[in-house]
Amino acid sequence: MPIISREYRDLDLNFTIHPNTKTINVLDSDQAIIRSVRNLLLTQYYEKPFHPEIGSDVTSYLFEPADPEIQDALKDEILRVINNFEPRVSMRRVDVRVDPDNNGVYVTLVFYIVGQARAKTVEIFLERNR
């Protein structure tokens, strides 16, 4: 079965301005999906208007003691959120590494974007914010 490539686009939520066109930059393909995955992990329940089911408990795990059970629960929550709400990716692996000196967690995601043959590896630092 041939792999069908798709083009995905999204607005750059940093609202940076393109120097030539003076419009908001657009994220293409991989960067748009990576941004979407990151936003899903950081979105809490009831934060998205009219869709209270979209969200995760990822940020609440950051305030728990860094023991193996919490790390496994964090991995499971990350997999659940991405598998349920981001149909453009197929998850392969999630690694969680606690960094107590910086009060956060490094999350390494390995996934395939649907329609692409090469796996993407993304590292996201989740920090405790009050």
Side-chain angles (χ1 to χ4, degrees):
M1 185 165 135
I3 296 177
I4 299 170
S5 179
R6 293 188 137 189
E7 185 72 25
Y8 298 107
R9 300 180 133 214
D10 199 1
L11 288 177
D12 182 5
L13 296 181
N14 292 330
F15 297 107
T16 54
I17 303 295
H18 190 278
N20 296 332
T21 63
K22 305 295 184 206
T23 61
I24 296 175
N25 280 334
V26 175
L27 298 176
D28 291 328
S29 292
D30 299 352
Q31 291 302 317
I33 293 173
I34 291 168
R35 177 68 57 98
S36 173
V37 167
R38 185 175 192 282
N39 288 342
L40 273 174
L41 295 181
L42 297 176
T43 300
Q44 297 179 18
Y45 291 109
Y46 298 97
E47 197 172 318
K48 201 166 181 92
F50 305 107
H51 290 285
E53 74 281 1
I54 296 176
S56 74
D57 286 329
V58 169
T59 54
S60 66
Y61 286 114
L62 300 177
F63 293 95
E64 298 293 330
D67 59 11
E69 291 85 20
I70 294 299
Q71 289 180 351
D72 289 341
L74 182 57
K75 286 181 190 179
D76 291 343
E77 180 67 9
I78 290 169
L79 285 170
R80 183 196 67 78
V81 169
I82 294 173
N83 288 334
N84 286 343
F85 300 114
E86 186 50 85
R88 300 176 292 181
V89 301
S90 174
M91 288 301 301
R92 290 296 169 238
R93 191 175 81 235
V94 176
D95 295 323
V96 175
R97 183 173 49 89
V98 177
D99 185 358
D101 295 334
N102 292 317
N103 293 325
V105 175
Y106 284 98
V107 176
T108 304
L109 306 169
V110 179
F111 57 85
Y112 287 96
I113 295 175
V114 174
Q116 295 185 8
R118 182 175 276 165
K120 302 290 179 195
T121 302
V122 177
E123 188 170 281
I124 301 171
F125 182 70
L126 303 173
E127 60 184 325
R128 298 178 191 142
N129 289 329
R130 291 196 187 257

